[in-house]
Short mmCIF file of all heavy atoms in Angstrom, two decimals:
data_model
loop_
_atom_site.label_atom_id
_atom_site.label_comp_id
_atom_site.label_asym_id
_atom_site.label_seq_id
_atom_site.Cartn_x
_atom_site.Cartn_y
_atom_site.Cartn_z
N LEU L 130 141.22 67.94 161.10
CA LEU L 130 141.72 67.89 159.72
C LEU L 130 141.61 69.21 158.96
O LEU L 130 142.27 69.36 157.94
CB LEU L 130 140.93 66.84 158.92
CG LEU L 130 140.99 65.40 159.37
CD1 LEU L 130 140.08 64.55 158.50
CD2 LEU L 130 142.41 64.90 159.30
N GLY L 131 140.74 70.08 159.40
CA GLY L 131 140.39 71.26 158.62
C GLY L 131 139.06 70.99 157.94
O GLY L 131 138.73 69.83 157.64
N SER L 132 138.29 72.02 157.72
CA SER L 132 136.92 71.82 157.23
C SER L 132 136.87 71.22 155.82
O SER L 132 136.02 70.38 155.54
CB SER L 132 136.14 73.13 157.27
OG SER L 132 136.75 74.10 156.45
N THR L 133 137.78 71.61 154.93
CA THR L 133 137.75 71.07 153.57
C THR L 133 138.07 69.58 153.56
O THR L 133 137.35 68.79 152.95
CB THR L 133 138.71 71.83 152.65
OG1 THR L 133 138.34 73.22 152.64
CG2 THR L 133 138.68 71.30 151.23
N ARG L 134 139.13 69.19 154.23
CA ARG L 134 139.50 67.76 154.26
C ARG L 134 138.42 66.93 154.95
O ARG L 134 138.09 65.84 154.49
CB ARG L 134 140.84 67.56 154.94
CG ARG L 134 141.99 68.05 154.12
CD ARG L 134 143.32 67.76 154.78
NE ARG L 134 144.35 68.52 154.09
CZ ARG L 134 145.32 69.17 154.69
NH1 ARG L 134 145.45 69.13 155.99
NH2 ARG L 134 146.20 69.84 153.98
N ALA L 135 137.89 67.44 156.05
CA ALA L 135 136.84 66.71 156.76
C ALA L 135 135.61 66.55 155.86
O ALA L 135 135.01 65.48 155.80
CB ALA L 135 136.46 67.43 158.05
N SER L 136 135.25 67.60 155.15
CA SER L 136 134.09 67.54 154.25
C SER L 136 134.33 66.55 153.11
O SER L 136 133.43 65.79 152.74
CB SER L 136 133.79 68.92 153.67
OG SER L 136 133.39 69.80 154.69
N LEU L 137 135.53 66.57 152.54
CA LEU L 137 135.84 65.62 151.47
C LEU L 137 135.80 64.18 151.97
O LEU L 137 135.26 63.30 151.29
CB LEU L 137 137.21 65.93 150.86
CG LEU L 137 137.26 67.16 149.96
CD1 LEU L 137 138.71 67.57 149.70
CD2 LEU L 137 136.53 66.89 148.65
N LEU L 138 136.34 63.94 153.14
CA LEU L 138 136.32 62.59 153.72
C LEU L 138 134.88 62.15 153.99
O LEU L 138 134.49 61.03 153.64
CB LEU L 138 137.15 62.55 155.00
CG LEU L 138 137.38 61.18 155.61
CD1 LEU L 138 138.18 60.28 154.67
CD2 LEU L 138 138.11 61.30 156.94
N TYR L 139 134.10 63.05 154.56
CA TYR L 139 132.69 62.74 154.84
C TYR L 139 131.92 62.45 153.55
O TYR L 139 131.18 61.47 153.47
CB TYR L 139 132.04 63.89 155.61
CG TYR L 139 130.56 63.69 155.79
CD1 TYR L 139 130.07 62.83 156.76
CD2 TYR L 139 129.65 64.32 154.96
CE1 TYR L 139 128.71 62.61 156.91
CE2 TYR L 139 128.29 64.12 155.10
CZ TYR L 139 127.82 63.26 156.08
OH TYR L 139 126.49 63.05 156.20
N GLU L 140 132.08 63.29 152.54
CA GLU L 140 131.36 63.10 151.27
C GLU L 140 131.77 61.79 150.60
O GLU L 140 130.93 61.09 150.03
CB GLU L 140 131.61 64.27 150.32
CG GLU L 140 130.87 65.53 150.69
CD GLU L 140 129.36 65.38 150.63
OE1 GLU L 140 128.83 64.64 149.77
OE2 GLU L 140 128.70 66.02 151.47
N THR L 141 133.04 61.46 150.65
CA THR L 141 133.51 60.20 150.07
C THR L 141 132.85 59.02 150.78
O THR L 141 132.37 58.09 150.14
CB THR L 141 135.04 60.09 150.15
OG1 THR L 141 135.62 61.25 149.55
CG2 THR L 141 135.54 58.86 149.42
N ALA L 142 132.80 59.06 152.10
CA ALA L 142 132.18 57.98 152.87
C ALA L 142 130.68 57.91 152.63
O ALA L 142 130.11 56.83 152.52
CB ALA L 142 132.47 58.16 154.35
N ALA L 143 130.05 59.06 152.52
CA ALA L 143 128.59 59.10 152.34
C ALA L 143 128.16 58.48 151.02
O ALA L 143 127.06 57.94 150.91
CB ALA L 143 128.09 60.53 152.44
N HIS L 144 129.03 58.55 150.02
CA HIS L 144 128.69 58.02 148.70
C HIS L 144 129.45 56.74 148.36
O HIS L 144 129.44 56.31 147.20
CB HIS L 144 128.95 59.10 147.64
CG HIS L 144 128.09 60.29 147.82
ND1 HIS L 144 128.53 61.44 148.44
CD2 HIS L 144 126.80 60.51 147.50
CE1 HIS L 144 127.55 62.32 148.49
NE2 HIS L 144 126.49 61.78 147.92
N ASP L 145 130.11 56.14 149.33
CA ASP L 145 130.93 54.93 149.16
C ASP L 145 132.18 55.19 148.32
O ASP L 145 133.21 54.63 148.58
CB ASP L 145 130.15 53.77 148.57
CG ASP L 145 129.16 53.18 149.56
OD1 ASP L 145 129.47 53.18 150.76
OD2 ASP L 145 128.08 52.74 149.13
N CYS L 146 132.09 56.00 147.29
CA CYS L 146 133.26 56.44 146.52
C CYS L 146 132.82 57.61 145.67
O CYS L 146 131.63 57.89 145.54
CB CYS L 146 133.85 55.31 145.67
SG CYS L 146 132.94 54.95 144.18
N GLY L 147 133.77 58.30 145.11
CA GLY L 147 133.43 59.42 144.25
C GLY L 147 134.63 59.85 143.44
O GLY L 147 135.77 59.59 143.82
N THR L 148 134.36 60.51 142.32
CA THR L 148 135.45 61.04 141.51
C THR L 148 135.89 62.37 142.13
O THR L 148 135.18 62.98 142.92
CB THR L 148 135.00 61.29 140.07
OG1 THR L 148 134.03 62.33 140.05
CG2 THR L 148 134.45 60.03 139.43
N THR L 149 137.05 62.80 141.72
CA THR L 149 137.56 64.08 142.21
C THR L 149 136.59 65.20 141.86
O THR L 149 136.28 66.05 142.70
CB THR L 149 138.95 64.37 141.60
OG1 THR L 149 139.81 63.26 141.86
CG2 THR L 149 139.56 65.63 142.18
N SER L 150 136.06 65.18 140.65
CA SER L 150 135.10 66.22 140.22
C SER L 150 133.83 66.19 141.05
O SER L 150 133.32 67.25 141.45
CB SER L 150 134.75 66.05 138.74
OG SER L 150 135.89 66.19 137.94
N GLU L 151 133.29 65.01 141.29
CA GLU L 151 132.06 64.89 142.09
C GLU L 151 132.28 65.40 143.51
O GLU L 151 131.44 66.13 144.05
CB GLU L 151 131.60 63.42 142.15
CG GLU L 151 131.10 62.88 140.83
CD GLU L 151 130.92 61.36 140.85
OE1 GLU L 151 131.51 60.67 141.72
OE2 GLU L 151 130.21 60.88 139.97
N LEU L 152 133.40 65.03 144.09
CA LEU L 152 133.67 65.44 145.47
C LEU L 152 133.93 66.94 145.56
O LEU L 152 133.47 67.59 146.49
CB LEU L 152 134.84 64.64 146.03
CG LEU L 152 134.57 63.13 146.16
CD1 LEU L 152 135.85 62.38 146.47
CD2 LEU L 152 133.51 62.87 147.22
N ALA L 153 134.64 67.49 144.58
CA ALA L 153 134.89 68.94 144.56
C ALA L 153 133.57 69.70 144.49
O ALA L 153 133.36 70.68 145.22
CB ALA L 153 135.78 69.31 143.37
N ALA L 154 132.66 69.25 143.62
CA ALA L 154 131.36 69.90 143.48
C ALA L 154 130.53 69.77 144.76
O ALA L 154 129.88 70.73 145.19
CB ALA L 154 130.60 69.31 142.30
N ALA L 155 130.56 68.59 145.37
CA ALA L 155 129.77 68.36 146.59
C ALA L 155 130.23 69.25 147.74
O ALA L 155 129.43 69.70 148.55
CB ALA L 155 129.86 66.89 147.00
#
């Protein structure tokens, strides 16, 4: 997927859900 997309997908799964701002910061 590319590192950014993979990281965003992983962070979303790790937190069950997240806002765009939270995921961007993470």
Side-chain angles (χ1 to χ4, degrees):
L130 298 177
S132 61
T133 301
R134 289 183 193 138
S136 295
L137 286 166
L138 188 63
Y139 173 79
E140 285 297 326
T141 306
H144 297 99
D145 288 326
C146 77
T148 66
T149 306
S150 298
E151 291 168 340
L152 295 169

